[in-house]
Amino acid sequence: MDFTLKIWRQKNARSKGHFETYQVKNISPDSSFLEMLDILNEQLIHEGMDPVAVERGCQSSGPVSFDHDCREGICGACSLYINGRAHGPDDEVTTCQLHMRKFKDGDTITVEPWRSKGFPVIKDLVVDRKAFDKILQAGGFISVGTGGVPDGNAILISHETAEESMDGAACIGCGACVATCKNGSAMLFVAARVSSLALLPQGKIEGAKRAKAMVAKMDELGFGSCTNTRACEMECPKHVTVSHIARLNREFLCAKFKD
């Protein structure tokens, strides 16, 4: 399969970015999207070292920088905006799980970094997602006793409650919700973290302040507000639903009433 790639190139956070066009050929339909970018980067490295290619004006601006880690849909680092969709034209997958068979031979593919005030571009397709870490530090934790470890069955939790908590905990913090939301809101991420703890007895200790602290930090870091378009839910690779946002709102209002 052959593709034309229009990729966002940006030297650093202070530079003005632009699109550059590349051609890749003989790509296997079973290759992942990141493997295809690996092949492109090998091609760009070769062109950069090939004096004949340089003489013909083929010298590239260097390999394309993009983020990745596990390549198994677990870490959420492979955050790319592909043809106008977070993680590309497939449902409930991360970019590393997207395969080239989802495209047609000869397609032009536009690749961009996340677009959000909360996620400034570091270089090319890499964005700074430390904002999510700061939100978690504001309240996404529970108190831990230093005494003996209680038996796992000592605290009874219904199966339905445990499953709902795990649904929220499934969030991998990739940022697709922010990139998809027209307001750049991080509400689905915050809601997933709050909801996963609010449903469990272990999360009740900080429950009164968790939602307030995390929402305040989200606003401070420049993320937008939620207007319930549900775009975040549609593009979440782990299908975290907006029902968690409803629970976040309840937790937030209850905390305010207690104040």
Side-chain angles (χ1 to χ4, degrees):
M1 301 178 75
D2 300 341
F3 300 101
T4 298
L5 305 177
K6 296 179 65 177
I7 297 181
W8 184 260
R9 304 303 305 265
Q10 187 168 334
K11 187 176 180 180
N12 53 50
R14 296 176 299 278
S15 301
K16 185 177 180 179
H18 63 281
F19 282 103
E20 289 189 7
T21 303
Y22 306 98
Q23 304 291 330
V24 289
K25 299 182 181 297
N26 301 319
I27 302 297
S28 168
D30 295 324
S31 296
S32 73
F33 198 87
L34 296 190
E35 288 171 336
M36 182 275 296
L37 290 180
D38 289 336
I39 293 170
L40 170 64
N41 278 343
E42 290 177 3
Q43 175 182 312
L44 294 178
I45 291 170
H46 177 73
E47 289 176 358
M49 295 187 297
D50 185 354
V52 176
V54 173
E55 186 177 343
R56 291 175 178 173
C58 299
Q59 188 172 16
S60 69
S61 54
V64 177
S65 296
F66 61 95
D67 215 348
H68 63 91
D69 190 4
C70 71
R71 298 202 179 199
E72 295 178 344
I74 298 172
C75 70
C78 54
S79 47
L80 297 180
Y81 209 67
I82 303 166
N83 282 352
R85 285 191 67 181
H87 294 304
D90 203 354
D91 297 325
E92 297 184 24
V93 298
T94 53
T95 302
C96 61
Q97 296 173 302
L98 176 67
H99 290 86
M100 300 312 296
R101 56 179 173 266
K102 285 292 179 179
F103 302 92
K104 295 179 181 178
D105 187 27
D107 271 357
T108 296
I109 304 173
T110 302
V111 190
E112 303 172 74
W114 286 164
R115 302 295 191 182
S116 169
K117 181 181 179 181
F119 295 149
V121 175
I122 296 175
K123 183 179 180 181
D124 293 341
L125 305 176
V126 182
V127 298
D128 186 350
R129 294 187 301 151
K130 286 200 295 286
F132 272 8
D133 295 330
K134 293 177 181 178
I135 292 173
L136 287 177
Q137 290 166 2
F141 54 84
I142 62 172
S143 293
V144 178
T146 57
V149 179
D151 182 79
N153 295 320
I155 303 175
L156 298 180
I157 302 170
S158 70
H159 175 75
E160 292 77 13
T161 300
E163 286 295 312
E164 196 169 356
S165 175
M166 288 302 295
D167 286 344
C171 170
I172 57 176
C174 66
C177 52
V178 176
T180 301
C181 178
K182 66 178 183 179
N183 305 320
S185 173
M187 279 288 279
L188 191 64
F189 167 75
V190 175
R193 298 306 187 189
V194 168
S195 187
S196 65
L197 295 174
L199 287 162
L200 303 178
Q202 295 90 338
K204 300 297 184 183
I205 301 172
E206 288 86 10
K209 62 181 180 180
R210 179 181 295 112
K212 291 190 301 180
M214 294 180 75
V215 169
K217 180 59 70 171
M218 176 184 69
D219 293 340
E220 176 190 324
L221 294 170
F223 293 102
S225 58
C226 174
T227 51
N228 294 309
T229 63
R230 302 184 70 173
C232 54
E233 177 184 83
M234 296 299 294
E235 297 296 354
C236 175
K238 300 302 178 181
H239 195 55
V240 177
T241 68
V242 295
S243 63
H244 295 289
I245 295 181
R247 179 171 290 104
L248 169 61
N249 289 334
R250 290 196 296 270
E251 291 285 318
F252 183 82
L253 289 173
C254 287
K256 286 293 187 180
F257 281 133
K258 287 180 181 179
D259 289 346

